[in-house]
């Protein structure tokens, strides 16, 4: 995270978040065309601004709190985006399932694979703490199974749905698992999530309190701008999906990709600086927070508006999810990664994306 200036706030990181909100107010919803393209450019600019402000905060508070802050902020934005689409668009019971499933697969393979490849390309082998990575998997695997697989096998309601009581229980279970994980990450076993290797030895200037406070406020504005612009681009997104004849599942994948952009940029930059542990904290932390917080929040809204949630994934997707966790357990079980591991993860990410378009 050495790339973030610690003594000043770059002007573009101040202008872009405000510009994003103003663009949303001026344009509203955009269909396919020039307006959508311009909004897309502003959205990408806000992603870069959010990454900068998150890095400043991370340098101020240290690990693992810095990566945790970004994971929580992005998760709140994801929940807000899904809820806004639920309330404002056509009914799509599978939107949360598609976006949560996409977030898990894109993080577990796409982002992790990219970070491993970048780290291997720059530093040949990259190190991380096995205890930290296993802690993420220990909560991510049961969370994903409860939310994405269990609904297909309960008897009280036909899959892929849960009964009201079952949805409440699963939501509370996800919250309990996430709460326990946060306690371990920030208290008893904080050392599991601290960087190792050459990247850990580097020293960086700590931003002044006023710089960090300003970045915290601008991070909120930038992330809010991202979700507002994504909502404005929703009509263009749906038109584009329909135009190419892609399944509606693609909408959830794109929502997840947009939400994960800030963390992806920060994680890849950390991997390039031989801080793979920070990359893992960002990547797997976002997946854990996505399920642990997004599912309960969206479940509450579904009860309020009376819209059921289709949660269970298909048999083919379940098989791929099981393979994904098996490969992740192997990758994160040694404390070191290499180029081959990254390529394997990227191939699985490509397989997931291919099966979305060709079920």
């Amino acid at each position: 995270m050495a790339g973030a200036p610690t003594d000043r706030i770059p002007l573009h990181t101040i202008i872009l978040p405000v510009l994003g909100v103003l663009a949303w107010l001026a344009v509203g919803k955009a269909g396919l065309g020039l307006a959508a393209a311009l909004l897309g450019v502003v959205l990408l600019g806000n992603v870069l601004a959010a990454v900068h402000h998150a890095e400043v905060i991370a340098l101020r508070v240290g690990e693992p709190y810095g990566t945790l802050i970004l994971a929580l902020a992005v998760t709140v934005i994801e929940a807000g985006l899904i809820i806004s689409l639920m309330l404002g668009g056509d009914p799509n019971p599978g939107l949360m399932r598609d976006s949560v499933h996409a977030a898990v697969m894109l993080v577990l393979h796409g982002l992790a694979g990219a970070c491993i490849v970048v780290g291997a390309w720059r530093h040949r082998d990259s190190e991380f703490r096995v205890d930290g990575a296993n802690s993420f998997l220990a909560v991510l695997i049961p969370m994903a199974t409860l939310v994405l697989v269990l609904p297909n096998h309960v008897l009280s309601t036909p899959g892929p749905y849960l009964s009201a009581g079952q949805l409440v229980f699963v939501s509370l279970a996800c919250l309990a698992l996430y709460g326990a994980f946060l306690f371990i990450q920030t208290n008893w076993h904080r050392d599991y999530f601290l960087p190792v290797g050459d990247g850990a030895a580097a020293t960086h200037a700590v931003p002044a309190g006023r710089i960090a406070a300003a970045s915290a406020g601008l991070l909120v504005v930038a992330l809010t701008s991202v979700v507002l612009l994504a909502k404005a681009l929703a009509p263009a997104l749906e038109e584009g999906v329909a135009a190419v004849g892609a399944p509606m599942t693609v909408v959830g994948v794109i929502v997840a990709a947009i939400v994960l952009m800030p963390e992806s940029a920060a994680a890849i930059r950390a991997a390039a600086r031989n801080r793979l542990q920070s990359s893992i904290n960002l990547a797997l932390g976002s997946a854990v927070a996505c399920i642990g917080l997004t599912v309960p929040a969206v479940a509450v809204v579904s009860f309020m508006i009376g819209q059921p949630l289709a949660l269970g994934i298909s048999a083919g997707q379940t098989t791929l999810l099981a393979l994904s966790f098996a490969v992740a357990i192997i990758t994160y079980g040694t404390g070191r990664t290499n180029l081959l591991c990254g390529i394997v993860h990227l191939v699985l990410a490509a397989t997931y994306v291919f099966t979305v378009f060709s079920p």
Side-chain angles (χ1 to χ4, degrees):
M1 296 184 180
T6 59
D7 58 345
R8 59 184 176 83
I9 301 178
L11 184 60
H12 71 277
T13 66
I14 300 174
I15 295 175
L16 284 170
V18 177
L19 179 61
V21 176
L22 293 177
W24 172 74
L25 291 173
V27 177
K29 293 186 176 181
L32 285 176
L34 180 60
L38 293 176
L39 289 179
V41 171
V42 177
L43 186 149
L44 292 175
N46 273 278
V47 167
L48 297 177
V51 169
H52 167 80
H53 295 304
E55 290 183 343
V56 170
I57 297 170
L59 290 174
R60 177 67 184 182
V61 302
E63 292 291 352
Y65 299 103
T67 53
L68 177 61
I69 288 172
L70 183 56
L72 291 174
V74 170
T75 301
V76 170
I77 295 302
E78 179 180 26
L81 179 56
I82 294 173
I83 291 170
S84 66
L85 292 176
M86 287 175 60
L87 296 176
D90 296 331
N92 185 357
L95 178 61
M96 185 183 74
R97 173 198 61 202
D98 297 337
S99 61
V100 168
H101 183 215
V104 171
M105 297 300 289
L106 293 177
V107 160
L108 205 59
H109 296 308
L111 179 53
C115 290
I116 292 171
V117 167
V118 169
W121 190 263
R122 296 286 297 273
H123 309 285
R124 192 62 66 94
D125 291 330
S126 297
E127 297 182 19
F128 59 90
R129 298 185 186 274
V130 175
D131 292 331
N134 286 341
S135 297
F136 282 115
L137 294 178
V139 293
L140 181 58
I141 292 174
M143 278 183 176
T145 303
L146 288 174
V147 174
L148 300 174
V149 180
L150 180 64
N152 289 326
H153 301 282
V154 295
L155 300 178
S156 56
T157 56
Y161 297 91
L162 293 174
S163 68
Q166 290 167 342
L167 183 56
V168 169
F169 176 82
V170 168
S171 298
L172 292 177
C174 289
L175 281 175
L177 287 170
Y178 189 64
F181 173 78
L182 285 184
F183 179 73
I184 293 298
Q185 186 183 26
T186 61
N187 196 310
W188 274 19
H189 296 295
R190 179 173 175 265
D191 56 304
Y192 286 2
F193 306 92
L194 299 179
V196 296
D198 295 338
T203 58
H204 308 299
V206 178
R210 60 183 180 82
I211 298 293
S215 286
L218 288 168
L219 175 62
V220 173
V221 178
L223 292 174
T224 301
S225 179
V226 169
V227 72
L228 291 176
L229 291 172
K231 183 178 180 181
L233 288 168
L237 173 62
E238 294 175 354
E239 291 176 19
V241 169
V244 299
M248 289 307 297
T249 305
V250 175
V251 175
V253 176
I254 296 176
V255 167
I258 292 173
V259 170
L260 290 173
M261 279 195 292
E263 286 183 323
S264 299
I268 292 172
R269 290 176 65 175
R273 299 187 180 102
N274 203 21
R275 295 172 63 90
L276 187 61
Q277 183 64 52
S278 295
S279 299
I280 293 174
N281 291 349
L282 282 164
L284 297 185
S286 64
V288 170
C290 169
I291 300 180
L293 298 178
T294 300
V295 171
V298 176
V300 170
V301 175
S302 74
F303 286 130
M304 293 174 59
I305 66 176
Q307 179 175 318
L309 296 176
L311 294 176
I313 57 178
S314 68
Q317 291 171 332
T318 300
T319 302
L320 187 57
L321 182 66
L323 173 62
S324 299
F325 283 129
V327 172
I329 290 172
I330 295 172
T331 297
Y332 297 120
T334 62
R336 299 181 69 89
T337 62
N338 54 48
L339 185 62
L340 177 61
C341 294
I343 293 174
V344 170
H345 280 278
L346 289 178
V347 168
L348 288 178
T351 302
Y352 163 71
V353 174
F354 176 77
T355 57
V356 168
F357 285 91
S358 181

